[in-house]
Amino acid sequence: MYLEVNNLKKGYGSDAGAVQVLKDVTTSVGKGQMCVIQGTSGSGKSTLLNCIGGLDVMDSGSVKVDNKEIFGLKSSDLSDYRRDNLGFIFQFYNLIPNLTVRENIQVCQYLANDPLNMDDLLEILGLEEHQNKFPSQLSGGQQQRIAIARALAMDPDVILFDEPTSALDPEMVGEVLELMKELAHTGITMLVVTHEMGFAREVSNRVIFIDEGRIQEDEPPQELFTNPKHPRLKAFLSKML
């Protein structure tokens, strides 16, 4: 498998106030696959992405990308790992407000060893006519497209999406999800934390359900949605569907 997570543990705090967020999480994702991660609030979804992305340091366990172990890497090596391998899309766009669309994307191009072509990115993401505008002049959906363009500019092997549509108005959600569907066919490995059930059904290769820091189900979407086994997943689906 291209991405392998084994016995990952992560907690916060110490002594009596310590909270164990991830408890022996093990999973894997093939190259070019899309894996959707779902679960209730506080179940550990974002922490899992942050550990895979090297933003949080895991307490123990293993995360390998293309057979390269990231557990135990020094801070400088983690920075290189993120630069060379990853794109990260957050629910908030984290754009630089006083830079234009083009300039926001160029920030990431400057960091990459072999960045994608700017004009190609603008065309693919439908941002050509907006390239000289500032983020405040654009809709939420368009701003999220800029964030995706910045991630793609690095030519990543893996893109991590953490609730990429949760800050959008309902009419803009479909716009971003359609773009993500297109990306799913490009060969990039994608992990997506989202509550969008239709998207998970239609596009993902696998769906992981996390509850209380553990992976309770890890199945192809058809199996997970039509035959859920864990009682918390059944309750979760009854609320979301």
Side-chain angles (χ1 to χ4, degrees):
M1 284 293 183
Y2 185 72
L3 170 64
E4 299 176 84
V5 179
N6 287 293
N7 303 117
L8 193 158
K9 294 182 180 179
K10 174 63 181 175
Y12 298 100
S14 59
D15 301 327
V19 177
Q20 194 69 30
V21 180
L22 295 176
K23 307 166 185 176
D24 287 315
V25 169
T26 295
T27 189
S28 59
V29 182
K31 187 171 179 61
Q33 288 190 333
M34 176 187 283
C35 178
V36 167
I37 303 170
Q38 298 191 322
T40 56
S41 179
S43 59
K45 306 182 299 297
S46 294
T47 300
L48 176 57
L49 282 195
N50 289 342
C51 288
I52 292 170
L55 300 179
D56 282 348
V57 178
M58 66 193 87
D59 297 332
S60 62
S62 170
V63 172
K64 292 182 180 179
V65 176
D66 198 17
N67 289 318
K68 298 173 185 175
E69 176 63 64
I70 74 164
F71 180 58
L73 289 180
K74 297 184 298 184
S75 178
S76 59
D77 293 329
L78 278 175
S79 295
D80 291 343
Y81 158 71
R82 289 191 292 267
R83 181 197 64 203
D84 296 339
N85 296 277
L86 296 179
F88 214 131
I89 312 297
F90 300 91
Q91 59 182 347
F92 300 107
Y93 325 120
N94 298 320
L95 304 178
I96 302 172
N98 59 340
L99 296 184
T100 65
V101 169
R102 191 178 189 93
E103 291 167 340
N104 262 284
I105 300 170
Q106 282 175 332
V107 168
C108 288
Q109 280 192 314
Y110 293 145
L111 297 174
N113 291 324
D114 188 20
L116 294 185
N117 179 272
M118 170 68 76
D119 293 327
D120 290 344
L121 280 171
L122 291 170
E123 180 180 358
I124 291 167
L125 294 164
L127 293 168
E128 285 177 297
E129 63 182 285
H130 304 297
Q131 61 182 293
N132 295 316
K133 295 179 181 178
F134 294 98
S136 61
Q137 297 174 294
L138 301 175
S139 70
Q142 290 166 333
Q143 290 185 59
Q144 191 61 290
R145 281 176 175 264
I146 302 169
I148 293 172
R150 290 195 311 185
L152 289 174
M154 308 285 286
D155 195 17
D157 301 309
V158 180
I159 299 185
L160 309 176
F161 294 83
D162 192 3
E163 296 282 9
T165 61
S166 65
L168 298 176
D169 293 333
E171 63 269 21
M172 297 174 186
V173 169
E175 168 186 332
V176 172
L177 292 180
E178 282 300 317
L179 174 58
M180 291 171 65
K181 288 178 184 178
E182 294 172 16
L183 292 178
H185 302 294
T186 62
I188 299 173
T189 305
M190 300 168 64
L191 277 76
V192 184
V193 172
T194 181
H195 288 99
E196 297 292 337
M197 296 294 183
F199 176 81
R201 281 179 184 270
E202 295 172 24
V203 187
S204 67
N205 301 102
R206 295 221 323 282
V207 180
I208 289 172
F209 177 73
I210 297 182
D211 185 56
E212 296 183 342
R214 299 183 188 277
I215 293 180
Q216 304 295 350
E217 297 205 33
D218 185 348
E219 303 282 355
Q222 184 67 20
E223 174 66 20
L224 185 137
F225 287 119
T226 58
N227 187 31
K229 301 174 183 65
H230 194 271
R232 291 290 289 273
L233 175 57
K234 292 178 181 179
F236 177 75
L237 292 176
S238 68
K239 292 179 181 178
M240 301 302 297
L241 293 176

